[in-house]
């Protein structure tokens, strides 16, 4: 398949407004009917530093980020210095007329003449970019109207005037850039990033309680929940620490709320004891974990898939759990919804494990289908007071969960080992029966496992194994691979429990099996070995804080295949 | 009519003579006098001897983690404001492990009552110093005497303008019932710090020690913050018992019962639509 996409990189210092330009342009392209994928890189500071907002866009669906640049919008000299080497042969550089560049194809914007005040430089850059890619100016005008409506008519008009002058200026310039028409629109699309999609998935599942402590890159999940869920009746509190967050969510869940916590690895580290509490007290809890590189504070605004082991093992003692790992905003939405359902049905903690790259990556998508979403499970509101036992021994391990306060039946939950009535006991036989009861829920979870997706032809020479957000880079690499070997991709969007039967054939029947992970130790491939005995010997691992890209996968593939020859 | 018997009679794991017993019976009396039935109250507790309390009572309970009874209680209250929520724990649990939650709960001011069995020692783990252990008190873990100054929970609570702050003594059960009743009737976060002799591990702050020093507050105006500040600092030769401080601060916003909450599909569609 021919690559019809273009990669735009807008670079500058924090505070220069590049994200505003990027978001408006992306939204405009989405409305025009383009597909897109955004990759944001930013630094842990409010002003200065070097940030980029990269938009890969085109008429066909796009799955992964790329490192080559077709349009470079430089808001400062550093952007040129850092990115000129990645320009493609067709590339165009858009920069202020005060910046020096040796690029062949350049548009030097006279910001001072096109804008009455520096305040409007963003609108100038947006107009120039829109004109270069032949985006209908009217779409951007409407977006500016929506964006500045709150600031009044005159601000809207001033921005529209500036946008028009930018479009007119581009028409008068000589440059070459091949515009591509958007795809035929099959209806309205939404533009949404991973964190927003996680929040919406939670709301769609009926999430109505959030306790959180801010931590990048998870914070925007909480912010979206508060902004969009507040009017839907979501109750929330920014608490004193992550320990409070997890315990408060457990208290709310016990009392009948559909509770969630949002955090990153460092915050989850603090929640560990609480997860164990959810396990033994059998309280449903959904944890949205957005990874960034560790250990400890690591790199706050970069990406990594380094916390799989933490999520798999967080919590002392033995209790069941499920872990989902979405690849894109669409999976974020549907897997979040599923996470709430499983948490309630099995009364266990369920994790949705994302990362900074996915968190901040916008895509254009078909709107989520709210109508056909299955109903999520609910706790009981009624029970016979004389017979009710919170920890009743059952075959499938699931005891009746009653919301306290609706009937005379007493609901007694406990962190100690307890009997069916929640009485503390150290009786050995009871311990085995209650512990087994809890662990038996694992069988039920097995029945609900989301099987991995396979892409590519049967029994490929090379099988790339991805989980979470590395899928896009693997699919792109599969398309681009050109060394006379067939390539397949096996993608896991649920990483625990693993059901050997659903994927072992792919591993056994493919030529070279390679895991592609955003960490330094191949955590997922070790998990596969532990669960199946199948040892994956080749890895493509990225842990420089940057997202996996097709280029990175291909370079890794080349090295692996060369050393094998 | 709710009676004391409605709350059941259980075997406990407390030492004979422990101050916890009278706190338990006082709580039963308070609840029945207030006509609060077992299924109308939920107790969140932490870990320690004191925190076993809900196991010895018929009621809803969540016996969670050491130090974490307050976050759990507040989550419950937010999910179901109709529930009477009590928090019961020891001084180590509430002021040590849960110190940050204690401060945050005072600020948040939900309508819940915190009963702290303050025996100035760690009971369950056999006698180490707790945050309220007085400086110099010799224990097995602090053979040279507890090196830190004791935490004064009521002073801190009054300083933070907590909504309701009281001190009681398990050796004065009638007064304790009265204070508990006032705390539970008060709308807002209520702290009752209850002096509770640990007969096994605290050989300094014994029944006799407290008896000698405690006196009932009279002619004290609990709405006078400066006077409350002064009284709350009194701990040594004389220890005042009673309601130290009280105010009508606004409570944390309450919502409908979340278990009954359903969203409107059209509202959710509008949210999705806002991303076009
Ligand atoms: C996280 C954690 N740390 C330590 C303990 C052990 N522990 C149990 S009770 C307790 C102290 C109890 O003291 P206090 O809260 O004063 O209650 P008391 O037993 O005196 O009533 C400790 C340290 C625990 N259960 N969990
Ligand atoms: S150890 Fe102390 S506090 Fe615990 S039951 Fe015995 S006397 Fe009471």
């Amino acid at each position: 398949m021919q690559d019809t996409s273009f990669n735009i990189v807008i670079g500058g210092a924090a505070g220069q407004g590049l994200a505003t330009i990027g978001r408006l342009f992306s939204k405009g392209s989405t409305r025009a009917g383009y597909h897109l994928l955004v990759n944001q890189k930013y630094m842990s500071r409010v002003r200065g530093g070097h940030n980029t907002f990269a938009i890969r866009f085109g008429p066909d669906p796009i799955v992964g980020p790329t490192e080559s640049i077709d349009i470079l919008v430089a808001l400062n000299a550093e952007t040129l210095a850092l990115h000129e080497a990645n320009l493609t042969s067709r590339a165009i550089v858009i920069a202020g007329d005060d910046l020096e560049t040796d690029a062949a194809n350049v548009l030097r914007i006279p910001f001072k003449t096109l804008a009455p005040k520096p305040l409007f430089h963003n609108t100038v850059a947006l107009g120039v970019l829109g004109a270069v890619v032949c985006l209908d100016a009217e779409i951007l005008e409407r977006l500016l109207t929506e964006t500045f409506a709150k600031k009044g008519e005159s601000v809207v008009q001033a921005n529209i005037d500036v946008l028009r002058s930018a479009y007119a200026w581009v028409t008068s310039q000589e440059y070459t850039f091949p515009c591509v028409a958007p795809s035929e629109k099959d209806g309205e699309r939404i533009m949404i990033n991973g964190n927003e999609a996680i929040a919406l998935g939670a709301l769609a599942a009926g999430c109505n309680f959030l306790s959180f402590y801010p931590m990048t890159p998870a914070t925007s999940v909480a912010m979206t929940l508060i902004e969009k869920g507040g009017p839907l009746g979501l109750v929330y509190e920014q608490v004193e620490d992550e320990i409070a967050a997890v315990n408060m969510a457990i208290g709310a869940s016990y009392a009948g709320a559909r509770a969630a916590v949002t955090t990153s690895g460092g915050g989850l580290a603090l929640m560990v004891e609480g997860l164990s509490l959810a396990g033994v007290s059998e309280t449903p809890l959904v944890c949205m974990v957005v990874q960034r590189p560790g250990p400890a504070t690591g790199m706050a605004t970069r990406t990594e898939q380094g916390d799989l082991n933490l999520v798999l093992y967080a919590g002392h003692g033995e209790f069941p759990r499920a872990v989902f790992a979405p690849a894109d905003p669409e999976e974020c939405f549907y897997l979040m919804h599923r996470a709430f359902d499983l948490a309630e049905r099995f009364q266990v903690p369920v994790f949705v494990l994302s990362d900074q790259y996915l968190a901040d990556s916008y895509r254009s998508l078909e709107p989520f289908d709210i109508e056909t979403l299955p109903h999520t499970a609910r706790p009981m509101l009624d029970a016979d007071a004389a017979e009710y036992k919170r920890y009743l021994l059952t075959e499938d391990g699931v005891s009746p969960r009653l919301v306290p306060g609706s009937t005379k039946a007493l609901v007694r939950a406990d962190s100690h080992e307890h009997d069916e009535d929640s009485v503390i006991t150290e009786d050995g036989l009871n311990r085995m029966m209650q512990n087994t009861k809890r662990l038996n829920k694992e069988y039920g979870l097995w029945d609900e496992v989301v099987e991995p997706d396979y892409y590519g032809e049967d029994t490929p020479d090379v099988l790339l194994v991805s989980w979470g957000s590395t899928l896009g880079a693997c699919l792109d690499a599969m398309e681009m691979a050109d060394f006379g070997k067939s390539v397949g991709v096996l993608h896991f969007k649920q990483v625990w429990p693993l059901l050997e039967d659903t994927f072992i054939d792919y591993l056994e029947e493919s030529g070279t099996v390679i895991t592609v992970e955003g960490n330094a130790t191949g955590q997922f491939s070790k998990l596969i070995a532990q669960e199946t005995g199948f040892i994956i010997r080749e890895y493509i691992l990225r842990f420089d804080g940057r997202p996996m890209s097709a280029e990175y996968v291909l370079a890794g593939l080349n090295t692996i295949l060369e050393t094998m020859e | 009519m709710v009676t004391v018997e409605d709350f059941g009679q259980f075997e406990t794991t407390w030492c004979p003579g422990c101050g916890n017993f009278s706190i338990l019976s006082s709580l039963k009396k308070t609840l029945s006098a207030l006509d609060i039935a077992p299924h109308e109250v939920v107790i969140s507790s932490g870990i320690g001897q004191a925190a076993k309390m809900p196991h010895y009572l018929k009621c809803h309970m969540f016996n969670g983690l050491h130090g974490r009874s307050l976050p759990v209680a507040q989550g419950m209250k937010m999910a179901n404001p109709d529930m009477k929520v009590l928090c019961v724990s020891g001084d180590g649990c509430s002021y040590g492990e849960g110190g940050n939650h204690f401060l945050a709960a005072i600020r948040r001011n939900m309508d819940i009552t915190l009963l702290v069995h303050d025996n100035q020692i760690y009971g369950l783990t056999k006698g180490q110093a707790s945050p309220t252990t007085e400086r110099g008190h010799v224990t097995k873990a602090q053979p040279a005497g507890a090196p830190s100054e004791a935490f004064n929970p009521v002073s801190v609570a009054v300083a933070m303008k907590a909504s309701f702050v009281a001190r009681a003594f398990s050796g004065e059960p009638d007064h304790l019932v009265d204070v508990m009743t006032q705390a539970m009737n008060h709308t807002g976060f209520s702290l009752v710090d209850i002096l509770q002799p640990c007969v096994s591990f605290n050989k300094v702050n014994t029944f006799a020690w407290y008896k000698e020093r405690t006196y009932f507050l009279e002619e004290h105006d609990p709405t006078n913050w400066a006077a409350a500040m002064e009284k709350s600092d009194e701990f040594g030769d004389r220890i005042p018992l009673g309601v130290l401080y009280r105010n009508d601060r606004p409570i944390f916003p309450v919502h409908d019962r979340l278990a009954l909450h359903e969203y409107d599909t059209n509202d959710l569609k509008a949210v999705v639509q806002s991303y076009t």
Side-chain angles (χ1 to χ4, degrees), chain A residues 30 47 49 83 138 143 203-204 206 211 220 227 233 264 282 290 301 405 421 469 489 512:
Chain A
T30 301
R47 286 193 182 277
H83 300 288
E138 235 178 79
L143 266 176
L203 292 174
S211 41
S220 62
E227 184 196 333
S264 189
E282 307 193 43
V290 188
T301 62
D421 284 315
S469 75
V489 176
T512 307

PDB file of all heavy atoms in Angstrom, chain A residues 30 47 49 83 138 143 203-204 206 211 220 227 233 264 282 290 301 405 421 469 489 512:
ATOM      1  N   THR A  30      -9.839  16.821  10.861  1.00  0.00           N
ATOM      2  CA  THR A  30     -10.830  15.791  11.167  1.00  0.00           C
ATOM      3  C   THR A  30     -12.170  16.151  10.537  1.00  0.00           C
ATOM      4  O   THR A  30     -12.828  15.325   9.913  1.00  0.00           O
ATOM      5  CB  THR A  30     -10.996  15.645  12.692  1.00  0.00           C
ATOM      6  OG1 THR A  30      -9.730  15.307  13.242  1.00  0.00           O
ATOM      7  CG2 THR A  30     -12.001  14.570  13.043  1.00  0.00           C
ATOM      8  N   ARG A  47       7.031  26.850  30.922  1.00  0.00           N
ATOM      9  CA  ARG A  47       7.490  27.708  29.826  1.00  0.00           C
ATOM     10  C   ARG A  47       8.878  27.282  29.371  1.00  0.00           C
ATOM     11  O   ARG A  47       9.660  26.745  30.139  1.00  0.00           O
ATOM     12  CB  ARG A  47       7.548  29.173  30.271  1.00  0.00           C
ATOM     13  CG  ARG A  47       6.181  29.767  30.379  1.00  0.00           C
ATOM     14  CD  ARG A  47       6.174  31.277  30.504  1.00  0.00           C
ATOM     15  NE  ARG A  47       4.789  31.721  30.641  1.00  0.00           N
ATOM     16  CZ  ARG A  47       3.972  31.911  29.617  1.00  0.00           C
ATOM     17  NH1 ARG A  47       4.388  31.755  28.375  1.00  0.00           N
ATOM     18  NH2 ARG A  47       2.720  32.264  29.820  1.00  0.00           N
ATOM     19  N   GLY A  49      11.930  25.354  27.011  1.00  0.00           N
ATOM     20  CA  GLY A  49      12.195  23.961  26.645  1.00  0.00           C
ATOM     21  C   GLY A  49      11.808  23.724  25.198  1.00  0.00           C
ATOM     22  O   GLY A  49      11.407  24.639  24.480  1.00  0.00           O
ATOM     23  N   HIS A  83      15.348  19.231  14.017  1.00  0.00           N
ATOM     24  CA  HIS A  83      14.533  18.379  13.159  1.00  0.00           C
ATOM     25  C   HIS A  83      14.862  18.423  11.678  1.00  0.00           C
ATOM     26  O   HIS A  83      14.314  17.640  10.916  1.00  0.00           O
ATOM     27  CB  HIS A  83      13.046  18.706  13.371  1.00  0.00           C
ATOM     28  CG  HIS A  83      12.595  18.500  14.788  1.00  0.00           C
ATOM     29  ND1 HIS A  83      12.443  17.251  15.327  1.00  0.00           N
ATOM     30  CD2 HIS A  83      12.309  19.374  15.774  1.00  0.00           C
ATOM     31  CE1 HIS A  83      12.060  17.371  16.590  1.00  0.00           C
ATOM     32  NE2 HIS A  83      11.985  18.656  16.887  1.00  0.00           N
ATOM     33  N   GLU A 138     -12.792  27.840   5.339  1.00  0.00           N
ATOM     34  CA  GLU A 138     -14.043  28.019   6.077  1.00  0.00           C
ATOM     35  C   GLU A 138     -14.122  27.131   7.328  1.00  0.00           C
ATOM     36  O   GLU A 138     -14.661  27.525   8.351  1.00  0.00           O
ATOM     37  CB  GLU A 138     -15.218  27.673   5.154  1.00  0.00           C
ATOM     38  CG  GLU A 138     -16.225  28.786   5.032  1.00  0.00           C
ATOM     39  CD  GLU A 138     -17.313  28.395   4.070  1.00  0.00           C
ATOM     40  OE1 GLU A 138     -18.198  27.622   4.497  1.00  0.00           O
ATOM     41  OE2 GLU A 138     -17.239  28.798   2.883  1.00  0.00           O
ATOM     42  N   LEU A 143     -13.965  27.015  13.279  1.00  0.00           N
ATOM     43  CA  LEU A 143     -13.296  26.581  14.515  1.00  0.00           C
ATOM     44  C   LEU A 143     -12.854  27.776  15.354  1.00  0.00           C
ATOM     45  O   LEU A 143     -12.995  27.769  16.582  1.00  0.00           O
ATOM     46  CB  LEU A 143     -12.059  25.754  14.161  1.00  0.00           C
ATOM     47  CG  LEU A 143     -12.241  24.249  14.116  1.00  0.00           C
ATOM     48  CD1 LEU A 143     -10.961  23.596  13.650  1.00  0.00           C
ATOM     49  CD2 LEU A 143     -12.608  23.733  15.501  1.00  0.00           C
ATOM     50  N   LEU A 203     -17.191   6.786  31.806  1.00  0.00           N
ATOM     51  CA  LEU A 203     -18.527   7.383  31.968  1.00  0.00           C
ATOM     52  C   LEU A 203     -19.589   6.516  31.303  1.00  0.00           C
ATOM     53  O   LEU A 203     -20.675   6.320  31.848  1.00  0.00           O
ATOM     54  CB  LEU A 203     -18.557   8.794  31.368  1.00  0.00           C
ATOM     55  CG  LEU A 203     -17.719   9.835  32.122  1.00  0.00           C
ATOM     56  CD1 LEU A 203     -17.713  11.158  31.361  1.00  0.00           C
ATOM     57  CD2 LEU A 203     -18.242  10.037  33.535  1.00  0.00           C
ATOM     58  N   ALA A 204     -19.240   5.971  30.154  1.00  0.00           N
ATOM     59  CA  ALA A 204     -20.197   5.120  29.444  1.00  0.00           C
ATOM     60  C   ALA A 204     -20.519   3.872  30.263  1.00  0.00           C
ATOM     61  O   ALA A 204     -21.609   3.316  30.168  1.00  0.00           O
ATOM     62  CB  ALA A 204     -19.649   4.729  28.080  1.00  0.00           C
ATOM     63  N   GLY A 206     -20.828   3.912  33.364  1.00  0.00           N
ATOM     64  CA  GLY A 206     -21.574   4.329  34.549  1.00  0.00           C
ATOM     65  C   GLY A 206     -20.695   4.765  35.698  1.00  0.00           C
ATOM     66  O   GLY A 206     -21.176   4.925  36.823  1.00  0.00           O
ATOM     67  N   SER A 211     -11.645   9.357  42.856  1.00  0.00           N
ATOM     68  CA  SER A 211     -10.767  10.020  43.825  1.00  0.00           C
ATOM     69  C   SER A 211      -9.375   9.975  43.221  1.00  0.00           C
ATOM     70  O   SER A 211      -8.933   8.921  42.770  1.00  0.00           O
ATOM     71  CB  SER A 211     -10.812   9.318  45.183  1.00  0.00           C
ATOM     72  OG  SER A 211     -10.831   7.924  45.046  1.00  0.00           O
ATOM     73  N   SER A 220      -4.883  14.166  32.912  1.00  0.00           N
ATOM     74  CA  SER A 220      -5.960  14.589  32.017  1.00  0.00           C
ATOM     75  C   SER A 220      -7.119  13.591  31.969  1.00  0.00           C
ATOM     76  O   SER A 220      -8.212  13.949  31.537  1.00  0.00           O
ATOM     77  CB  SER A 220      -5.421  14.877  30.611  1.00  0.00           C
ATOM     78  OG  SER A 220      -4.872  13.732  30.045  1.00  0.00           O
ATOM     79  N   GLU A 227     -14.604  17.374  33.921  1.00  0.00           N
ATOM     80  CA  GLU A 227     -15.246  18.312  32.996  1.00  0.00           C
ATOM     81  C   GLU A 227     -16.504  17.702  32.365  1.00  0.00           C
ATOM     82  O   GLU A 227     -17.561  18.311  32.330  1.00  0.00           O
ATOM     83  CB  GLU A 227     -14.256  18.717  31.905  1.00  0.00           C
ATOM     84  CG  GLU A 227     -14.825  19.770  30.956  1.00  0.00           C
ATOM     85  CD  GLU A 227     -14.036  19.899  29.667  1.00  0.00           C
ATOM     86  OE1 GLU A 227     -12.820  19.603  29.674  1.00  0.00           O
ATOM     87  OE2 GLU A 227     -14.650  20.277  28.645  1.00  0.00           O
ATOM     88  N   GLY A 233     -23.240  13.742  36.762  1.00  0.00           N
ATOM     89  CA  GLY A 233     -23.455  13.259  38.125  1.00  0.00           C
ATOM     90  C   GLY A 233     -22.258  12.566  38.747  1.00  0.00           C
ATOM     91  O   GLY A 233     -22.369  11.920  39.786  1.00  0.00           O
ATOM     92  N   SER A 264      -0.338   7.309  37.669  1.00  0.00           N
ATOM     93  CA  SER A 264       0.779   6.777  36.900  1.00  0.00           C
ATOM     94  C   SER A 264       1.559   5.842  37.826  1.00  0.00           C
ATOM     95  O   SER A 264       1.169   5.657  38.980  1.00  0.00           O
ATOM     96  CB  SER A 264       1.636   7.942  36.397  1.00  0.00           C
ATOM     97  OG  SER A 264       2.591   7.460  35.481  1.00  0.00           O
ATOM     98  N   GLU A 282     -12.955  -7.950  48.382  1.00  0.00           N
ATOM     99  CA  GLU A 282     -13.741  -8.239  47.179  1.00  0.00           C
ATOM    100  C   GLU A 282     -14.578  -7.026  46.784  1.00  0.00           C
ATOM    101  O   GLU A 282     -15.775  -7.115  46.534  1.00  0.00           O
ATOM    102  CB  GLU A 282     -14.574  -9.515  47.354  1.00  0.00           C
ATOM    103  CG  GLU A 282     -13.687 -10.693  47.791  1.00  0.00           C
ATOM    104  CD  GLU A 282     -14.376 -12.036  47.688  1.00  0.00           C
ATOM    105  OE1 GLU A 282     -15.051 -12.273  46.673  1.00  0.00           O
ATOM    106  OE2 GLU A 282     -14.233 -12.857  48.611  1.00  0.00           O
ATOM    107  N   VAL A 290      -1.593   5.320  33.680  1.00  0.00           N
ATOM    108  CA  VAL A 290      -0.967   5.863  32.479  1.00  0.00           C
ATOM    109  C   VAL A 290       0.533   5.935  32.743  1.00  0.00           C
ATOM    110  O   VAL A 290       0.990   6.707  33.582  1.00  0.00           O
ATOM    111  CB  VAL A 290      -1.555   7.240  32.129  1.00  0.00           C
ATOM    112  CG1 VAL A 290      -1.038   7.690  30.774  1.00  0.00           C
ATOM    113  CG2 VAL A 290      -3.076   7.196  32.121  1.00  0.00           C
ATOM    114  N   THR A 301       7.176  13.503  31.464  1.00  0.00           N
ATOM    115  CA  THR A 301       6.357  13.771  30.288  1.00  0.00           C
ATOM    116  C   THR A 301       6.736  12.889  29.112  1.00  0.00           C
ATOM    117  O   THR A 301       6.432  13.201  27.971  1.00  0.00           O
ATOM    118  CB  THR A 301       6.481  15.247  29.870  1.00  0.00           C
ATOM    119  OG1 THR A 301       7.851  15.501  29.530  1.00  0.00           O
ATOM    120  CG2 THR A 301       6.059  16.167  31.000  1.00  0.00           C
ATOM    121  N   GLY A 405     -27.257  -0.262  53.277  1.00  0.00           N
ATOM    122  CA  GLY A 405     -28.124   0.906  53.426  1.00  0.00           C
ATOM    123  C   GLY A 405     -29.473   0.759  52.775  1.00  0.00           C
ATOM    124  O   GLY A 405     -30.345   1.596  52.975  1.00  0.00           O
ATOM    125  N   ASP A 421     -19.359 -14.864  57.171  1.00  0.00           N
ATOM    126  CA  ASP A 421     -20.036 -13.725  57.787  1.00  0.00           C
ATOM    127  C   ASP A 421     -19.086 -12.575  58.068  1.00  0.00           C
ATOM    128  O   ASP A 421     -19.431 -11.654  58.807  1.00  0.00           O
ATOM    129  CB  ASP A 421     -20.688 -14.165  59.109  1.00  0.00           C
ATOM    130  CG  ASP A 421     -21.950 -14.956  58.855  1.00  0.00           C
ATOM    131  OD1 ASP A 421     -22.740 -14.515  58.006  1.00  0.00           O
ATOM    132  OD2 ASP A 421     -22.122 -16.012  59.502  1.00  0.00           O
ATOM    133  N   SER A 469       0.270   0.193  23.292  1.00  0.00           N
ATOM    134  CA  SER A 469       0.397   1.197  22.236  1.00  0.00           C
ATOM    135  C   SER A 469       1.462   0.905  21.191  1.00  0.00           C
ATOM    136  O   SER A 469       1.638   1.698  20.276  1.00  0.00           O
ATOM    137  CB  SER A 469       0.660   2.559  22.861  1.00  0.00           C
ATOM    138  OG  SER A 469       2.001   2.617  23.305  1.00  0.00           O
ATOM    139  N   VAL A 489       1.685  -9.658  12.763  1.00  0.00           N
ATOM    140  CA  VAL A 489       1.660  -8.962  14.057  1.00  0.00           C
ATOM    141  C   VAL A 489       0.616  -9.628  14.949  1.00  0.00           C
ATOM    142  O   VAL A 489      -0.533  -9.819  14.538  1.00  0.00           O
ATOM    143  CB  VAL A 489       1.312  -7.465  13.883  1.00  0.00           C
ATOM    144  CG1 VAL A 489       1.187  -6.788  15.251  1.00  0.00           C
ATOM    145  CG2 VAL A 489       2.352  -6.747  13.031  1.00  0.00           C
ATOM    146  N   THR A 512      10.541 -16.424  12.994  1.00  0.00           N
ATOM    147  CA  THR A 512      11.187 -15.722  14.110  1.00  0.00           C
ATOM    148  C   THR A 512      10.154 -14.914  14.873  1.00  0.00           C
ATOM    149  O   THR A 512       9.438 -14.122  14.285  1.00  0.00           O
ATOM    150  CB  THR A 512      12.263 -14.765  13.551  1.00  0.00           C
ATOM    151  OG1 THR A 512      13.119 -15.528  12.712  1.00  0.00           O
ATOM    152  CG2 THR A 512      13.044 -14.112  14.664  1.00  0.00           C
TER     153      THR A 512
END
